[in-house]
Amino acid sequence: MLFKVLYNMSNEDYLKDISEIKQLMNRSSRFISLSGLSGIFAGIYAIVGALIAYFFLFPEPGDYLILDSWQFRWLLIDLGAVALLSVLTAYLLTTSKAKRNDEKIWDATTQRLLLHFLIPLVAGGIYILIKLNSQHYGLTGSLMLLFYGLALINASKYTIGNIKYLGYVEVVLGLICAAFPGYGFWFWVLGFGVCHIIYGSLMYVAEKK
Amino acid sequence: MGIIDNINKLFDHRIRLGIMSILMVNESADFNRLKELLEVTDGNLASHLKTLEKEAYISVDKQFIGRKPNTQYSATKKGKEAFKKHIDALEKLLNT
């Protein structure tokens, strides 16, 4: 009888321990719990953006992509819209979740994560723009995948371990893409659309568990 | 050998358990970040960090950011394994 009472007491303590562990893990690295849904949305935006580009903005087969054409300008706007919508969705999902859990959105974790994500990404973005300006647009898809993958791997040090696998996949896709010139568009759809949706869904299922 | 053997005495304390929980999901964390998350006093946190360090469950990296000293803590392989074992033991206990 005494044993039973003691046992139940420690059981309750251990339960409390477990819930405290979970709470601390979530609070100290909240990005993991959001990446699922944001990933799915980012993938959908990328595919919609790619479809728009494919049907309306790409030059006819045999034609060249001319840099000061209206098509090219709309292509950039299309790309910018995909990026902006993805970031905005991730931001809104993060803030709403943070509010629900009564957390600060702008703390040391977020700052470090963003900084380390942006360094490779901005460097790559500038590089691509410089190359585009000198008419070297052949490897744009490959470069975007590579730098985005490296940005994810770099940022993954400040969040739980899963996002780095998405980063590895993007880097590998970027390298394969470099070996197959002319298929950049399809690799881009695969990397930014399909991979995001697959990764997002996997994360989403894992979060629900 | 019962399941109770795997319950780690070192993790029997709320703050030490908390430190390990944070370091399991973060590559590293500095002193102030731990303090902010765990809501404890300097002295209290420092003494528990010492205990974990002595056991080689965490590693300590002292550096300077400008003139300000900054100490980064991270979980060692040994610490991560011990923590995982502890959690498994807790779960088994609760499931019996």
Side-chain angles (χ1 to χ4, degrees):
Chain A
M1 185 63 199
L2 180 67
F3 173 73
K4 188 86 188 154
V5 171
L6 273 175
Y7 179 74
N8 278 338
M9 253 180 66
S10 64
N11 238 5
E12 242 161 62
D13 282 347
Y14 290 141
L15 262 181
K16 226 180 74 199
D17 275 2
I18 296 243
S19 84
E20 209 159 315
I21 291 168
K22 276 191 187 149
Q23 212 190 345
L24 273 170
M25 284 183 167
N26 280 335
R27 230 191 315 162
S28 65
S29 63
R30 89 176 62 86
F31 271 79
I32 40 162
S33 50
L34 271 157
S35 41
L37 216 48
S38 335
I40 296 173
F41 275 110
I44 292 169
Y45 297 147
I47 288 179
V48 171
L51 283 177
I52 293 172
Y54 188 75
F55 286 111
F56 300 109
L57 304 176
F58 275 5
E60 298 288 310
D63 274 359
Y64 289 105
L65 186 64
I66 298 155
L67 285 184
D68 52 3
S69 63
W70 65 269
Q71 281 103 331
F72 185 72
R73 243 165 279 145
W74 276 103
L75 203 61
L76 283 184
I77 292 170
D78 186 23
L79 204 60
V82 169
L84 193 72
L85 275 175
S86 304
V87 171
L88 211 64
T89 307
Y91 175 76
L92 286 177
L93 286 173
T94 313
T95 38
S96 78
K97 171 106 179 194
K99 246 185 224 147
R100 240 179 301 143
N101 294 351
D102 212 14
E103 295 159 346
K104 281 180 287 176
I105 169 100
W106 192 241
D107 63 7
T109 320
T110 1
Q111 283 169 24
R112 263 191 323 202
L113 188 82
L114 269 183
L115 180 72
H116 288 84
F117 178 66
L118 284 176
I119 290 169
L121 202 69
V122 170
I126 294 171
Y127 181 83
I128 290 168
L129 285 178
I130 292 170
K131 284 315 239 178
L132 279 177
N133 253 335
S134 56
Q135 308 279 329
H136 290 102
Y137 47 79
L139 282 173
T140 305
S142 162
L143 288 170
M144 283 171 79
L145 287 165
L146 266 178
F147 282 111
Y148 178 63
L150 292 174
L152 287 180
I153 294 169
N154 206 32
S156 76
K157 283 179 261 169
Y158 302 96
T159 151
I160 200 160
N162 278 317
I163 196 127
K164 74 171 162 245
Y165 298 111
L166 180 64
Y168 293 144
V169 171
E170 304 282 359
V171 169
V172 170
L173 272 178
L175 290 175
I176 299 173
C177 175
F180 293 95
Y183 292 94
F185 173 78
W186 298 108
F187 278 101
W188 194 93
V189 170
L190 198 61
F192 284 94
V194 179
C195 283
H196 272 142
I197 293 176
I198 293 174
Y199 171 80
S201 311
L202 287 176
M203 287 302 290
Y204 190 71
V205 172
E207 285 156 23
K208 289 280 147 191
K209 268 189 196 153
Chain B
M1 273 288 274
I3 30 176
I4 206 93
D5 295 336
N6 277 330
I7 294 288
N8 197 323
K9 270 267 175 339
L10 266 170
F11 297 139
D12 233 6
H13 194 282
R14 201 202 128 242
I15 296 174
R16 289 198 288 267
L17 194 74
I19 294 169
M20 284 309 288
S21 310
I22 294 166
L23 295 181
M24 285 297 282
V25 292
N26 290 278
E27 199 83 356
S28 67
D30 64 18
F31 193 87
N32 286 333
R33 176 98 181 112
L34 289 173
K35 207 176 89 176
E36 178 192 312
L37 284 165
L38 294 165
E39 292 161 354
V40 287
T41 60
D42 281 22
N44 211 346
L45 179 59
S47 81
H48 289 297
L49 283 167
K50 258 267 133 38
T51 315
L52 288 171
E53 191 192 344
K54 232 184 255 161
E55 206 63 31
Y57 282 2
I58 60 173
S59 62
V60 182
D61 182 25
K62 287 197 170 104
Q63 36 180 236
F64 279 86
I65 295 180
R67 289 248 176 101
K68 262 168 58 194
N70 177 278
T71 317
Q72 291 282 343
Y73 299 91
S74 48
T76 60
K77 206 173 160 214
K78 186 183 170 199
K80 282 183 179 169
E81 274 163 11
F83 188 79
K84 271 187 200 136
K85 240 192 207 160
H86 180 73
I87 299 292
D88 286 346
L90 283 190
E91 275 175 350
K92 264 191 208 132
L93 250 176
L94 291 171
N95 285 333
T96 45

